Amino acid sequence: MTSDLNVCLSPSLIPLYNVADHIVVIIDIFRATSSICFGIENGAAAIIPVSEVEECAAYREMGFDYLLAAERDGKVVDGFDFGNSPFSYTKEKVKGKTVVLTTTNGTHALHLSRSAKKIVIGSFLNLTALCNWLKTQDENILLVCAGWKNNFNLEDTLFAGAVVDQLKETGLKLDDAAIAANDLFQVGKNDINQYLKKTSHSERLKALGIEKDIEFCLQVDITTAIPVLDGERLVKLVG
Amino acid sequence: MTSDLNVCLSPSLIPLYNVADHIVVIIDIFRATSSICFGIENGAAAIIPVSEVEECAAYREMGFDYLLAAERDGKVVDGFDFGNSPFSYTKEKVKGKTVVLTTTNGTHALHLSRSAKKIVIGSFLNLTALCNWLKTQDENILLVCAGWKNNFNLEDTLFAGAVVDQLKETGLKLDDAAIAANDLFQVGKNDINQYLKKTSHSERLKALGIEKDIEFCLQVDITTAIPVLDGERLVKLVG
């Protein structure tokens, strides 16, 4: 039987899919899943995504030797180790460590996808490695865009389209959202940063002063690790 | 202040918008809103959209002289006057009449948009008339795609993109979904029917034997009437 390649354009739409029947890829390009890919590539033992700064803080109180990443309005919250910039997830900082990462949209998408066969993390950083692994799986695939406040956003959709682009020749059956995501990727692929500049979200990100983060997150194939959910922890997928 | 032009890609996302702050355009290209535009153009006194065949039947029991349109699996339900094919909404059949139309996706989108400043109906049939009217309104606009079973579909999104295309030079502020819809329209606009053939939905519609309906629904600017919601009835917008 032909497997499906579906794109879920926002967490609000996750309940419409039979998640238990899919491998789920969580996508939150600016910046959670990019930072997670970079951190796992750089040897972080695990990354634990949480929704709220308070949940992140709770890990400190439990006495674990975890690095705590928490941001509000683009600034590291007082008392935390760092924020969500991928530049914080270098070898020097994260190797061998467990990081607790605060990310509202990404964590929300992840929780709603709990019943999936497997949950992995995608970003432009690990695009081809992710796709090569997906090609070896004989399963339905659901690409979940974390979006923005439960709604559609362009950057996550474009990445979903990049994945569809690599997988579409394998005979998977695409739903309408997968077709749309891929067509949008074709429109934007020659200069994704430029393409995304027309979005309102881009104004918001610019206001946060994280343009360097954005450029970083749009680099293709600079990592090969695939983060996979194991309990509450994202760890490196082994073989 | 700049008004917004937002595209809501599925009824599931309607709660994310402050609908009361918008003029809403309901879009259900195959075939509800196309048939409604054609029926109102052809002099139907009113069209009442309902979700279920049973609700439609209830109107007969009330003793009104209404035409009842109800379909299941692409066939007119026994005892009803006609189905959802736009070819049923000719002058000969509907002039001066009130029609009760059964449409699950469209009615659902409409009910969730109840609190809007105004609710109008869009289709390729009345595209430019609709856009010209929208241009005269100094309000936020929300284009609501009825979609398919609460999820995204390509045909409604492409039409939303066609509206964005006509309105985008007026200085309205586009959200990410409006940008995406417009870019998809640019990809598909030279042959929308051909473009939509790659969707899985198209297979479903072909199986229903309604290819002629589809061609009909993709005709641009063959009508000028704008159906508007007045209570529970869709009537012709005056002025």
Side-chain angles (χ1 to χ4, degrees):
Chain A
M1 218 187 72
T2 314
S3 296
D4 293 329
L5 175 53
N6 297 323
V7 171
C8 178
L9 294 170
S10 113
S12 309
L13 304 174
I14 295 175
L16 301 174
Y17 297 87
N18 183 2
V19 174
D21 241 13
H22 293 77
I23 291 176
V24 164
V25 179
I26 303 287
I27 302 165
D28 188 1
I29 296 301
F30 298 145
R31 298 163 287 167
T33 61
S34 303
S35 293
I36 291 166
C37 289
F38 197 51
I40 294 294
E41 178 82 9
N42 285 330
I47 297 180
I48 303 174
V50 297
S51 296
E52 303 289 340
V53 170
E54 290 70 23
E55 285 173 81
C56 188
Y59 276 90
R60 185 194 307 273
E61 279 145 38
M62 290 183 228
F64 295 122
D65 179 26
Y66 290 169
L67 287 170
L68 304 182
E71 251 190 40
R72 262 189 189 142
D73 303 323
K75 290 197 172 59
V76 176
V77 179
D78 276 352
F80 288 80
D81 301 300
F82 47 82
N84 293 347
S85 168
F87 293 107
S88 300
Y89 291 76
T90 55
K91 257 193 199 91
E92 296 68 36
K93 288 186 181 156
V94 302
K95 194 168 181 343
K97 300 274 190 180
T98 292
V99 184
V100 183
L101 168 75
T102 317
T103 162
T104 314
N105 299 311
T107 304
H108 184 55
L110 215 142
H111 280 300
L112 289 171
S113 305
R114 280 280 162 191
S115 64
K117 288 192 171 172
K118 200 166 269 189
I119 299 182
V120 296
I121 300 296
S123 72
F124 285 104
L125 276 56
N126 72 344
L127 171 63
T128 299
L130 173 71
C131 291
N132 287 342
W133 176 76
L134 288 171
K135 282 178 194 170
T136 67
Q137 308 298 305
D138 190 18
E139 302 281 1
N140 298 317
I141 297 167
L142 180 62
L143 309 177
V144 172
C145 301
W148 177 244
K149 295 189 175 177
N150 271 320
N151 209 337
F152 174 91
N153 79 16
L154 264 175
E155 62 272 19
D156 294 347
T157 305
L158 238 72
F159 175 75
V163 174
V164 174
D165 195 48
Q166 293 208 16
L167 299 184
K168 66 188 178 189
E169 300 307 334
T170 60
L172 291 161
K173 192 157 169 269
L174 310 188
D175 67 356
D176 274 20
I179 295 169
N182 187 238
D183 281 340
L184 288 169
F185 174 67
Q186 303 306 327
V187 173
K189 70 180 177 182
N190 287 334
D191 190 343
I192 291 174
N193 201 353
Q194 190 58 39
Y195 179 74
L196 295 175
K197 284 210 169 103
K198 56 182 173 171
T199 69
S200 49
H201 197 49
S202 147
E203 293 295 308
R204 198 187 62 83
L205 293 170
K206 207 190 285 180
L208 292 177
I210 57 169
E211 285 133 308
K212 281 195 180 161
D213 286 6
I214 291 177
E215 270 179 45
F216 187 91
C217 294
L218 296 178
Q219 295 175 101
V220 178
D221 291 338
I222 64 163
T223 68
T224 58
I226 301 170
V228 62
L229 193 67
D230 178 12
E232 59 165 11
R233 313 162 80 82
L234 293 161
V235 298
K236 186 171 172 177
L237 179 74
V238 182
Chain B
M1 218 187 71
T2 314
S3 296
D4 293 329
L5 176 54
N6 298 323
V7 171
C8 178
L9 294 170
S10 115
S12 310
L13 304 174
I14 296 175
L16 300 174
Y17 297 87
N18 183 2
V19 173
D21 241 13
H22 293 77
I23 291 176
V24 164
V25 180
I26 303 287
I27 302 165
D28 188 1
I29 295 302
F30 300 145
R31 299 162 284 165
T33 62
S34 303
S35 294
I36 291 166
C37 289
F38 196 50
I40 294 293
E41 177 82 9
N42 285 331
I47 296 180
I48 303 174
V50 297
S51 296
E52 303 289 341
V53 170
E54 291 69 23
E55 285 173 80
C56 189
Y59 275 91
R60 184 195 306 274
E61 280 146 37
M62 291 184 229
F64 295 122
D65 180 27
Y66 290 169
L67 288 171
L68 305 182
E71 250 190 41
R72 262 189 189 142
D73 303 322
K75 291 198 173 57
V76 176
V77 179
D78 277 351
F80 287 81
D81 301 301
F82 47 82
N84 293 347
S85 167
F87 292 108
S88 300
Y89 292 76
T90 56
K91 258 193 199 91
E92 296 67 36
K93 288 186 182 159
V94 302
K95 194 167 178 51
K97 300 274 190 182
T98 293
V99 185
V100 184
L101 168 76
T102 318
T103 162
T104 314
N105 299 310
T107 304
H108 185 55
L110 215 142
H111 280 300
L112 289 172
S113 306
R114 281 277 164 194
S115 64
K117 288 192 170 171
K118 201 165 268 189
I119 298 182
V120 296
I121 301 295
S123 71
F124 286 105
L125 276 56
N126 72 346
L127 170 63
T128 299
L130 172 71
C131 291
N132 287 342
W133 176 77
L134 288 171
K135 283 179 192 168
T136 68
Q137 307 298 305
D138 191 19
E139 302 281 0
N140 298 316
I141 297 167
L142 180 62
L143 309 177
V144 173
C145 300
W148 178 243
K149 296 189 176 178
N150 271 321
N151 208 339
F152 174 90
N153 80 15
L154 264 175
E155 63 270 20
D156 294 347
T157 305
L158 240 70
F159 175 76
V163 174
V164 174
D165 194 48
Q166 292 209 15
L167 299 183
K168 67 188 178 189
E169 300 306 334
T170 60
L172 290 160
K173 192 158 170 268
L174 311 188
D175 67 356
D176 273 20
I179 295 169
N182 188 239
D183 281 340
L184 288 169
F185 174 67
Q186 303 306 325
V187 173
K189 69 181 179 184
N190 287 334
D191 191 343
I192 292 174
N193 201 353
Q194 191 57 39
Y195 179 74
L196 293 176
K197 284 209 169 103
K198 56 182 173 170
T199 69
S200 50
H201 197 49
S202 148
E203 293 294 310
R204 199 188 61 83
L205 293 169
K206 207 191 285 181
L208 291 178
I210 58 170
E211 285 133 308
K212 281 195 179 158
D213 285 6
I214 291 177
E215 270 178 45
F216 187 91
C217 294
L218 296 178
Q219 295 175 101
V220 178
D221 291 339
I222 65 163
T223 69
T224 58
I226 301 169
V228 62
L229 192 68
D230 178 13
E232 59 165 12
R233 312 163 80 82
L234 293 161
V235 298
K236 186 171 172 177
L237 179 74
V238 181

